[in-house]
PDB file of all heavy atoms in Angstrom:
ATOM      1  N   SER A1141     133.133 105.061 101.285  1.00  0.00           N
ATOM      2  CA  SER A1141     133.755 103.950 100.577  1.00  0.00           C
ATOM      3  C   SER A1141     133.318 103.840  99.123  1.00  0.00           C
ATOM      4  O   SER A1141     134.042 103.563  98.190  1.00  0.00           O
ATOM      5  CB  SER A1141     133.493 102.641 101.378  1.00  0.00           C
ATOM      6  OG  SER A1141     132.129 102.381 101.408  1.00  0.00           O
ATOM      7  N   MET A1142     131.919 104.046  98.934  1.00  0.00           N
ATOM      8  CA  MET A1142     131.479 103.914  97.578  1.00  0.00           C
ATOM      9  C   MET A1142     131.895 105.058  96.608  1.00  0.00           C
ATOM     10  O   MET A1142     132.259 104.837  95.471  1.00  0.00           O
ATOM     11  CB  MET A1142     129.885 103.933  97.546  1.00  0.00           C
ATOM     12  CG  MET A1142     129.242 102.757  98.269  1.00  0.00           C
ATOM     13  SD  MET A1142     127.530 102.728  98.204  1.00  0.00           S
ATOM     14  CE  MET A1142     127.098 102.727  96.370  1.00  0.00           C
ATOM     15  N   ALA A1143     132.059 106.295  97.237  1.00  0.00           N
ATOM     16  CA  ALA A1143     132.524 107.411  96.477  1.00  0.00           C
ATOM     17  C   ALA A1143     134.054 107.173  96.093  1.00  0.00           C
ATOM     18  O   ALA A1143     134.397 107.476  94.963  1.00  0.00           O
ATOM     19  CB  ALA A1143     132.308 108.690  97.255  1.00  0.00           C
ATOM     20  N   GLU A1144     134.845 106.789  97.080  1.00  0.00           N
ATOM     21  CA  GLU A1144     136.271 106.569  96.832  1.00  0.00           C
ATOM     22  C   GLU A1144     136.514 105.402  95.874  1.00  0.00           C
ATOM     23  O   GLU A1144     137.597 105.437  95.130  1.00  0.00           O
ATOM     24  CB  GLU A1144     137.023 106.252  98.116  1.00  0.00           C
ATOM     25  CG  GLU A1144     137.040 107.571  98.975  1.00  0.00           C
ATOM     26  CD  GLU A1144     137.861 107.328 100.218  1.00  0.00           C
ATOM     27  OE1 GLU A1144     138.061 106.155 100.672  1.00  0.00           O
ATOM     28  OE2 GLU A1144     138.194 108.291 100.964  1.00  0.00           O
ATOM     29  N   ALA A1145     135.524 104.481  95.783  1.00  0.00           N
ATOM     30  CA  ALA A1145     135.720 103.355  94.943  1.00  0.00           C
ATOM     31  C   ALA A1145     135.083 103.637  93.520  1.00  0.00           C
ATOM     32  O   ALA A1145     135.161 102.818  92.604  1.00  0.00           O
ATOM     33  CB  ALA A1145     135.049 102.124  95.481  1.00  0.00           C
ATOM     34  N   GLY A1146     134.517 104.823  93.333  1.00  0.00           N
ATOM     35  CA  GLY A1146     133.858 105.162  92.126  1.00  0.00           C
ATOM     36  C   GLY A1146     132.624 104.374  91.794  1.00  0.00           C
ATOM     37  O   GLY A1146     132.194 104.299  90.657  1.00  0.00           O
ATOM     38  N   ALA A1147     131.937 103.851  92.963  1.00  0.00           N
ATOM     39  CA  ALA A1147     130.727 103.042  92.718  1.00  0.00           C
ATOM     40  C   ALA A1147     129.592 103.748  93.159  1.00  0.00           C
ATOM     41  O   ALA A1147     128.402 103.154  93.228  1.00  0.00           O
ATOM     42  CB  ALA A1147     130.900 101.722  93.524  1.00  0.00           C
ATOM     43  N   LEU A1148     129.663 105.025  93.496  1.00  0.00           N
ATOM     44  CA  LEU A1148     128.529 105.860  94.054  1.00  0.00           C
ATOM     45  C   LEU A1148     127.699 106.252  92.848  1.00  0.00           C
ATOM     46  O   LEU A1148     128.214 106.951  91.937  1.00  0.00           O
ATOM     47  CB  LEU A1148     128.994 106.970  94.795  1.00  0.00           C
ATOM     48  CG  LEU A1148     127.894 107.834  95.474  1.00  0.00           C
ATOM     49  CD1 LEU A1148     127.223 107.043  96.563  1.00  0.00           C
ATOM     50  CD2 LEU A1148     128.566 109.182  95.995  1.00  0.00           C
ATOM     51  N   ALA A1149     126.441 105.831  92.851  1.00  0.00           N
ATOM     52  CA  ALA A1149     125.484 106.227  91.815  1.00  0.00           C
ATOM     53  C   ALA A1149     125.017 107.714  91.966  1.00  0.00           C
ATOM     54  O   ALA A1149     124.480 108.078  93.034  1.00  0.00           O
ATOM     55  CB  ALA A1149     124.313 105.257  91.778  1.00  0.00           C
ATOM     56  N   LEU A1150     125.246 108.461  90.979  1.00  0.00           N
ATOM     57  CA  LEU A1150     124.813 109.823  90.968  1.00  0.00           C
ATOM     58  C   LEU A1150     123.603 110.019  90.089  1.00  0.00           C
ATOM     59  O   LEU A1150     123.683 109.661  88.886  1.00  0.00           O
ATOM     60  CB  LEU A1150     125.939 110.791  90.521  1.00  0.00           C
ATOM     61  CG  LEU A1150     127.147 110.788  91.387  1.00  0.00           C
ATOM     62  CD1 LEU A1150     128.288 111.681  90.690  1.00  0.00           C
ATOM     63  CD2 LEU A1150     126.913 111.280  92.725  1.00  0.00           C
ATOM     64  N   HIS A1151     122.547 110.601  90.584  1.00  0.00           N
ATOM     65  CA  HIS A1151     121.272 110.799  89.867  1.00  0.00           C
ATOM     66  C   HIS A1151     121.346 112.323  89.443  1.00  0.00           C
ATOM     67  O   HIS A1151     120.749 113.172  90.044  1.00  0.00           O
ATOM     68  CB  HIS A1151     120.140 110.526  90.731  1.00  0.00           C
ATOM     69  CG  HIS A1151     120.061 109.148  91.265  1.00  0.00           C
ATOM     70  ND1 HIS A1151     119.796 108.026  90.476  1.00  0.00           N
ATOM     71  CD2 HIS A1151     120.391 108.645  92.515  1.00  0.00           C
ATOM     72  CE1 HIS A1151     119.950 106.960  91.219  1.00  0.00           C
ATOM     73  NE2 HIS A1151     120.187 107.277  92.509  1.00  0.00           N
ATOM     74  N   ARG A1152     122.033 112.431  88.277  1.00  0.00           N
ATOM     75  CA  ARG A1152     122.233 113.828  87.761  1.00  0.00           C
ATOM     76  C   ARG A1152     120.971 114.410  87.110  1.00  0.00           C
ATOM     77  O   ARG A1152     120.224 113.664  86.465  1.00  0.00           O
ATOM     78  CB  ARG A1152     123.392 113.866  86.752  1.00  0.00           C
ATOM     79  CG  ARG A1152     124.725 113.536  87.409  1.00  0.00           C
ATOM     80  CD  ARG A1152     125.823 113.356  86.281  1.00  0.00           C
ATOM     81  NE  ARG A1152     127.102 113.110  86.744  1.00  0.00           N
ATOM     82  CZ  ARG A1152     128.003 113.901  87.116  1.00  0.00           C
ATOM     83  NH1 ARG A1152     127.735 115.284  87.009  1.00  0.00           N
ATOM     84  NH2 ARG A1152     129.191 113.595  87.529  1.00  0.00           N
ATOM     85  N   GLU A1153     120.796 115.681  87.291  1.00  0.00           N
ATOM     86  CA  GLU A1153     119.743 116.460  86.623  1.00  0.00           C
ATOM     87  C   GLU A1153     120.159 117.928  86.604  1.00  0.00           C
ATOM     88  O   GLU A1153     120.951 118.372  87.448  1.00  0.00           O
ATOM     89  CB  GLU A1153     118.426 116.242  87.385  1.00  0.00           C
ATOM     90  CG  GLU A1153     118.449 116.720  88.799  1.00  0.00           C
ATOM     91  CD  GLU A1153     117.168 116.415  89.553  1.00  0.00           C
ATOM     92  OE1 GLU A1153     116.868 115.271  89.880  1.00  0.00           O
ATOM     93  OE2 GLU A1153     116.436 117.410  89.822  1.00  0.00           O
ATOM     94  N   PRO A1154     119.659 118.650  85.621  1.00  0.00           N
ATOM     95  CA  PRO A1154     119.964 120.070  85.624  1.00  0.00           C
ATOM     96  C   PRO A1154     119.555 120.800  86.876  1.00  0.00           C
ATOM     97  O   PRO A1154     118.423 120.677  87.290  1.00  0.00           O
ATOM     98  CB  PRO A1154     119.174 120.651  84.425  1.00  0.00           C
ATOM     99  CG  PRO A1154     118.982 119.364  83.572  1.00  0.00           C
ATOM    100  CD  PRO A1154     118.899 118.229  84.491  1.00  0.00           C
ATOM    101  N   THR A1155     120.459 121.486  87.518  1.00  0.00           N
ATOM    102  CA  THR A1155     120.246 122.051  88.832  1.00  0.00           C
ATOM    103  C   THR A1155     120.729 123.475  88.892  1.00  0.00           C
ATOM    104  O   THR A1155     121.832 123.841  88.423  1.00  0.00           O
ATOM    105  CB  THR A1155     120.911 121.234  89.953  1.00  0.00           C
ATOM    106  OG1 THR A1155     120.596 119.919  89.822  1.00  0.00           O
ATOM    107  CG2 THR A1155     120.684 121.796  91.366  1.00  0.00           C
ATOM    108  N   ASP A1156     119.867 124.287  89.532  1.00  0.00           N
ATOM    109  CA  ASP A1156     120.282 125.652  89.820  1.00  0.00           C
ATOM    110  C   ASP A1156     121.051 125.657  91.215  1.00  0.00           C
ATOM    111  O   ASP A1156     120.441 125.512  92.255  1.00  0.00           O
ATOM    112  CB  ASP A1156     119.067 126.480  89.900  1.00  0.00           C
ATOM    113  CG  ASP A1156     119.279 128.017  90.011  1.00  0.00           C
ATOM    114  OD1 ASP A1156     120.523 128.390  90.608  1.00  0.00           O
ATOM    115  OD2 ASP A1156     118.542 128.884  89.691  1.00  0.00           O
ATOM    116  N   ILE A1157     122.367 125.818  91.100  1.00  0.00           N
ATOM    117  CA  ILE A1157     123.124 125.694  92.343  1.00  0.00           C
ATOM    118  C   ILE A1157     122.884 126.892  93.267  1.00  0.00           C
ATOM    119  O   ILE A1157     122.927 126.739  94.475  1.00  0.00           O
ATOM    120  CB  ILE A1157     124.629 125.717  92.009  1.00  0.00           C
ATOM    121  CG1 ILE A1157     124.945 124.426  91.168  1.00  0.00           C
ATOM    122  CG2 ILE A1157     125.488 125.705  93.254  1.00  0.00           C
ATOM    123  CD1 ILE A1157     124.727 123.152  92.020  1.00  0.00           C
ATOM    124  N   ALA A1158     122.587 128.108  92.720  1.00  0.00           N
ATOM    125  CA  ALA A1158     122.231 129.265  93.542  1.00  0.00           C
ATOM    126  C   ALA A1158     121.019 128.853  94.369  1.00  0.00           C
ATOM    127  O   ALA A1158     120.883 129.209  95.573  1.00  0.00           O
ATOM    128  CB  ALA A1158     122.029 130.469  92.681  1.00  0.00           C
ATOM    129  N   GLU A1159     120.039 128.333  93.765  1.00  0.00           N
ATOM    130  CA  GLU A1159     118.770 127.952  94.416  1.00  0.00           C
ATOM    131  C   GLU A1159     119.036 126.894  95.463  1.00  0.00           C
ATOM    132  O   GLU A1159     118.475 126.841  96.617  1.00  0.00           O
ATOM    133  CB  GLU A1159     117.707 127.472  93.453  1.00  0.00           C
ATOM    134  CG  GLU A1159     116.371 127.189  94.100  1.00  0.00           C
ATOM    135  CD  GLU A1159     115.358 126.805  93.081  1.00  0.00           C
ATOM    136  OE1 GLU A1159     115.541 127.028  91.878  1.00  0.00           O
ATOM    137  OE2 GLU A1159     114.222 126.166  93.493  1.00  0.00           O
ATOM    138  N   LEU A1160     119.881 125.965  95.083  1.00  0.00           N
ATOM    139  CA  LEU A1160     120.235 124.796  96.057  1.00  0.00           C
ATOM    140  C   LEU A1160     120.969 125.335  97.240  1.00  0.00           C
ATOM    141  O   LEU A1160     120.700 124.974  98.361  1.00  0.00           O
ATOM    142  CB  LEU A1160     121.123 123.816  95.318  1.00  0.00           C
ATOM    143  CG  LEU A1160     121.521 122.629  96.072  1.00  0.00           C
ATOM    144  CD1 LEU A1160     120.327 121.706  96.374  1.00  0.00           C
ATOM    145  CD2 LEU A1160     122.548 121.755  95.343  1.00  0.00           C
ATOM    146  N   ALA A1161     121.869 126.378  97.052  1.00  0.00           N
ATOM    147  CA  ALA A1161     122.567 126.951  98.146  1.00  0.00           C
ATOM    148  C   ALA A1161     121.653 127.681  99.064  1.00  0.00           C
ATOM    149  O   ALA A1161     121.761 127.683 100.286  1.00  0.00           O
ATOM    150  CB  ALA A1161     123.714 127.845  97.579  1.00  0.00           C
ATOM    151  N   ALA A1162     120.659 128.453  98.421  1.00  0.00           N
ATOM    152  CA  ALA A1162     119.651 129.201  99.256  1.00  0.00           C
ATOM    153  C   ALA A1162     118.849 128.248 100.077  1.00  0.00           C
ATOM    154  O   ALA A1162     118.578 128.581 101.273  1.00  0.00           O
ATOM    155  CB  ALA A1162     118.826 130.087  98.281  1.00  0.00           C
ATOM    156  N   ASP A1163     118.440 127.106  99.537  1.00  0.00           N
ATOM    157  CA  ASP A1163     117.704 126.150 100.220  1.00  0.00           C
ATOM    158  C   ASP A1163     118.459 125.556 101.455  1.00  0.00           C
ATOM    159  O   ASP A1163     117.940 125.367 102.514  1.00  0.00           O
ATOM    160  CB  ASP A1163     117.228 124.969  99.393  1.00  0.00           C
ATOM    161  CG  ASP A1163     116.100 125.459  98.393  1.00  0.00           C
ATOM    162  OD1 ASP A1163     115.464 126.502  98.623  1.00  0.00           O
ATOM    163  OD2 ASP A1163     115.962 124.766  97.376  1.00  0.00           O
ATOM    164  N   SER A1164     119.779 125.208 101.280  1.00  0.00           N
ATOM    165  CA  SER A1164     120.622 124.789 102.268  1.00  0.00           C
ATOM    166  C   SER A1164     120.772 125.768 103.371  1.00  0.00           C
ATOM    167  O   SER A1164     120.739 125.445 104.540  1.00  0.00           O
ATOM    168  CB  SER A1164     121.932 124.365 101.678  1.00  0.00           C
ATOM    169  OG  SER A1164     121.845 123.351 100.656  1.00  0.00           O
ATOM    170  N   VAL A1165     120.967 127.013 103.024  1.00  0.00           N
ATOM    171  CA  VAL A1165     121.165 128.097 103.982  1.00  0.00           C
ATOM    172  C   VAL A1165     119.876 128.144 104.777  1.00  0.00           C
ATOM    173  O   VAL A1165     119.835 128.343 106.068  1.00  0.00           O
ATOM    174  CB  VAL A1165     121.440 129.394 103.408  1.00  0.00           C
ATOM    175  CG1 VAL A1165     121.304 130.535 104.310  1.00  0.00           C
ATOM    176  CG2 VAL A1165     122.842 129.363 102.803  1.00  0.00           C
ATOM    177  N   ALA A1166     118.689 128.071 104.141  1.00  0.00           N
ATOM    178  CA  ALA A1166     117.410 128.263 104.890  1.00  0.00           C
ATOM    179  C   ALA A1166     117.285 127.081 105.898  1.00  0.00           C
ATOM    180  O   ALA A1166     116.676 127.281 106.967  1.00  0.00           O
ATOM    181  CB  ALA A1166     116.259 128.218 103.900  1.00  0.00           C
ATOM    182  N   SER A1167     117.733 125.830 105.611  1.00  0.00           N
ATOM    183  CA  SER A1167     117.586 124.761 106.431  1.00  0.00           C
ATOM    184  C   SER A1167     118.462 124.924 107.631  1.00  0.00           C
ATOM    185  O   SER A1167     118.255 124.169 108.747  1.00  0.00           O
ATOM    186  CB  SER A1167     117.897 123.466 105.818  1.00  0.00           C
ATOM    187  OG  SER A1167     119.305 123.371 105.390  1.00  0.00           O
ATOM    188  N   PHE A1168     119.493 125.738 107.654  1.00  0.00           N
ATOM    189  CA  PHE A1168     120.416 125.966 108.809  1.00  0.00           C
ATOM    190  C   PHE A1168     120.084 127.247 109.489  1.00  0.00           C
ATOM    191  O   PHE A1168     120.787 127.706 110.496  1.00  0.00           O
ATOM    192  CB  PHE A1168     121.918 125.961 108.347  1.00  0.00           C
ATOM    193  CG  PHE A1168     122.427 124.616 108.168  1.00  0.00           C
ATOM    194  CD1 PHE A1168     122.318 123.942 106.961  1.00  0.00           C
ATOM    195  CD2 PHE A1168     123.059 123.997 109.179  1.00  0.00           C
ATOM    196  CE1 PHE A1168     122.867 122.686 106.730  1.00  0.00           C
ATOM    197  CE2 PHE A1168     123.593 122.735 109.005  1.00  0.00           C
ATOM    198  CZ  PHE A1168     123.539 122.043 107.768  1.00  0.00           C
ATOM    199  N   ARG A1169     119.068 127.944 109.036  1.00  0.00           N
ATOM    200  CA  ARG A1169     118.776 129.350 109.647  1.00  0.00           C
ATOM    201  C   ARG A1169     118.428 129.173 111.058  1.00  0.00           C
ATOM    202  O   ARG A1169     118.980 130.034 111.929  1.00  0.00           O
ATOM    203  CB  ARG A1169     117.554 129.946 108.865  1.00  0.00           C
ATOM    204  CG  ARG A1169     117.256 131.360 109.279  1.00  0.00           C
ATOM    205  CD  ARG A1169     118.242 132.401 108.823  1.00  0.00           C
ATOM    206  NE  ARG A1169     118.277 132.388 107.348  1.00  0.00           N
ATOM    207  CZ  ARG A1169     119.113 133.038 106.663  1.00  0.00           C
ATOM    208  NH1 ARG A1169     120.057 133.861 107.284  1.00  0.00           N
ATOM    209  NH2 ARG A1169     119.143 133.109 105.343  1.00  0.00           N
ATOM    210  N   THR A1170     117.620 128.295 111.586  1.00  0.00           N
ATOM    211  CA  THR A1170     117.313 128.122 112.955  1.00  0.00           C
ATOM    212  C   THR A1170     118.514 127.878 113.695  1.00  0.00           C
ATOM    213  O   THR A1170     118.699 128.456 114.843  1.00  0.00           O
ATOM    214  CB  THR A1170     116.207 127.063 113.128  1.00  0.00           C
ATOM    215  OG1 THR A1170     115.045 127.341 112.338  1.00  0.00           O
ATOM    216  CG2 THR A1170     115.840 126.916 114.596  1.00  0.00           C
ATOM    217  N   GLN A1171     119.352 126.938 113.335  1.00  0.00           N
ATOM    218  CA  GLN A1171     120.555 126.598 113.989  1.00  0.00           C
ATOM    219  C   GLN A1171     121.526 127.765 114.110  1.00  0.00           C
ATOM    220  O   GLN A1171     122.046 128.069 115.246  1.00  0.00           O
ATOM    221  CB  GLN A1171     121.351 125.437 113.369  1.00  0.00           C
ATOM    222  CG  GLN A1171     122.590 124.984 114.078  1.00  0.00           C
ATOM    223  CD  GLN A1171     123.267 123.898 113.272  1.00  0.00           C
ATOM    224  OE1 GLN A1171     122.687 123.125 112.495  1.00  0.00           O
ATOM    225  NE2 GLN A1171     124.595 123.756 113.536  1.00  0.00           N
ATOM    226  N   ALA A1172     121.608 128.508 113.043  1.00  0.00           N
ATOM    227  CA  ALA A1172     122.485 129.721 113.099  1.00  0.00           C
ATOM    228  C   ALA A1172     121.990 130.864 114.014  1.00  0.00           C
ATOM    229  O   ALA A1172     122.710 131.439 114.792  1.00  0.00           O
ATOM    230  CB  ALA A1172     122.640 130.255 111.608  1.00  0.00           C
ATOM    231  N   ASP A1173     120.616 130.981 113.994  1.00  0.00           N
ATOM    232  CA  ASP A1173     120.072 132.039 114.884  1.00  0.00           C
ATOM    233  C   ASP A1173     120.269 131.704 116.267  1.00  0.00           C
ATOM    234  O   ASP A1173     120.543 132.532 117.207  1.00  0.00           O
ATOM    235  CB  ASP A1173     118.543 132.149 114.514  1.00  0.00           C
ATOM    236  CG  ASP A1173     118.292 132.791 113.215  1.00  0.00           C
ATOM    237  OD1 ASP A1173     119.277 133.466 112.664  1.00  0.00           O
ATOM    238  OD2 ASP A1173     117.130 132.674 112.722  1.00  0.00           O
TER     239      ASP A1173
END
């Protein structure tokens, strides 16, 4: 509801998306195995 209303606060910072994707994949490694 907050996102659709444009009221969601985003705490932006310079981010390496490739590293973020690798961390997300690592957190699902056990479930995938």
Side-chain angles (χ1 to χ4, degrees):
S1141 62
M1142 292 181 65
E1144 291 182 346
L1148 184 66
L1150 297 178
H1151 303 286
R1152 295 176 180 266
E1153 59 183 72
T1155 303
D1156 186 337
I1157 297 297
E1159 182 178 345
L1160 183 66
D1163 291 343
S1164 298
V1165 167
S1167 66
F1168 279 89
R1169 184 72 63 186
T1170 301
Q1171 179 182 338
D1173 291 343

